[in-house]
Amino acid sequence: MRKIHLVGFLFLITSWIISCSNSVLENERFISFESHPSEVKMYWKDLSGAPLGSLENLKRRVEGSGEHLKFAMNGGMFLTDHSPQGLYIENGNVIKSLNTMKASGNFYWQPNGVFYVNKSNKAFICKSEEFNNPNDVKYATQSGPMLVIDGKIHPEFKEGSTFVHIRNGVGVLPNGKVIMAISTEEVTLYDFAKFFKDKGCQNALYLDGFVSKMYCPEKGMEKLDGNFGVMIGVEN
């Protein structure tokens, strides 16, 4: 009996060590932040009507209104004038309509998708072709490609690909919270998608690549640079 108990004990210890090792590895490769959808906001321009551009300018705008910026990152691809490349809804106003063009590049890699928060403060990610009710939406941004589709990694992503970049994206967790993440090193789309899938996200959306930045003091990330269009933030 003692021998059996000892074997079981060693198995548990080994499993714990492996689990911790995997957790440390994940923490080294990805940094994520979770928030209730009611706390998530999207921003594009400052009060004068000029694109905010950087996380520093966003922080200045938020603090100028008496709030505290808890988290922020770039929120989708943009054009040379910093305007959103696809759908953008802010405070219930459709600033830019859904982009249904077919072209090359990550944004147009099908299926691309929309991340949105409705007026009941519930978050969703769907294929762009399935987005059909902007009147009930508080915030929305369109980007691409989808990382996770109905619980499965995008079928065109290849494990072991040599196409690597810094990447950031967003998913919706089983509990309804929004999870926003960035890689701390260059990773494949497959590995980035797997991160969201392993978290239980049924759907997740790629936001951008090498330009991506995150401001998250509680995770030790306090850089305020960047040159973006739309940004996603959480205030408190």
Side-chain angles (χ1 to χ4, degrees):
M1 290 293 292
R2 289 183 180 179
K3 184 177 180 180
I4 293 174
H5 289 164
L6 179 60
V7 170
F9 175 74
L10 291 174
F11 174 78
L12 289 173
I13 290 295
T14 303
S15 299
W16 179 79
I17 291 171
I18 292 172
S19 174
C20 288
S21 297
N22 289 339
S23 178
V24 169
L25 179 60
E26 177 187 291
N27 290 338
E28 288 177 348
R29 300 186 75 196
F30 306 103
I31 293 178
S32 63
F33 179 87
E34 298 176 16
S35 177
H36 189 276
S38 63
E39 300 173 329
V40 174
K41 294 185 177 182
M42 296 182 191
Y43 318 79
W44 177 29
K45 294 183 175 181
D46 62 21
L47 297 180
S48 70
L52 287 161
S54 70
L55 296 171
E56 182 175 10
N57 288 338
L58 173 57
K59 186 172 185 288
R60 187 179 295 117
R61 170 185 154 171
V62 169
E63 292 181 348
S65 64
E67 300 295 330
H68 170 72
L69 186 64
K70 186 176 183 180
F71 167 88
M73 71 179 187
N74 49 305
M77 297 175 192
F78 53 94
L79 304 177
T80 54
D81 63 354
H82 292 85
S83 63
Q85 191 166 356
L87 174 76
Y88 180 56
I89 298 175
E90 183 178 324
N91 289 322
N93 299 310
V94 180
I95 309 299
K96 194 165 184 180
S97 59
L98 195 72
N99 185 336
T100 58
M101 288 178 56
K102 305 298 182 184
S104 60
N106 282 339
F107 179 90
Y108 298 104
W109 191 345
Q110 298 299 315
N112 58 15
V114 176
F115 162 56
Y116 66 98
V117 177
N118 68 15
K119 293 177 181 178
S120 299
N121 291 316
K122 294 182 179 179
F124 300 90
I125 293 173
C126 68
K127 298 176 185 177
S128 294
E129 62 192 36
E130 296 174 353
F131 182 81
N132 56 15
N133 189 14
N135 295 327
D136 186 46
V137 174
K138 186 165 59 171
Y139 293 102
T141 183
Q142 182 185 8
S143 193
M146 292 277 287
L147 295 169
V148 181
I149 309 163
D150 297 329
K152 297 180 180 179
I153 293 174
H154 193 300
E156 295 179 18
F157 296 170
K158 304 300 180 185
E159 189 173 5
S161 168
T162 57
F163 180 52
V164 295
H165 274 303
I166 296 294
R167 306 183 187 280
N168 78 306
V170 59
V172 179
L173 295 167
N175 63 6
K177 285 190 173 183
V178 177
I179 179 169
M180 295 164 280
I182 191 169
S183 66
T184 59
E185 61 184 41
E186 294 183 340
V187 297
T188 66
L189 282 166
Y190 181 93
D191 286 347
F192 195 44
K194 187 176 184 298
F195 168 81
F196 286 99
K197 182 178 182 297
D198 289 348
K199 292 290 184 180
C201 298
Q202 284 295 299
N203 294 285
L205 181 65
Y206 180 67
L207 292 174
D208 217 331
F210 67 95
V211 302
S212 299
K213 305 283 184 182
M214 178 188 284
Y215 173 76
C216 188
E218 71 178 48
K219 297 292 180 74
M221 301 192 74
E222 299 193 49
K223 292 183 178 180
L224 289 167
D225 55 343
N227 186 21
F228 312 124
V230 172
M231 287 174 273
I232 301 172
V234 174
E235 304 175 14
N236 67 356

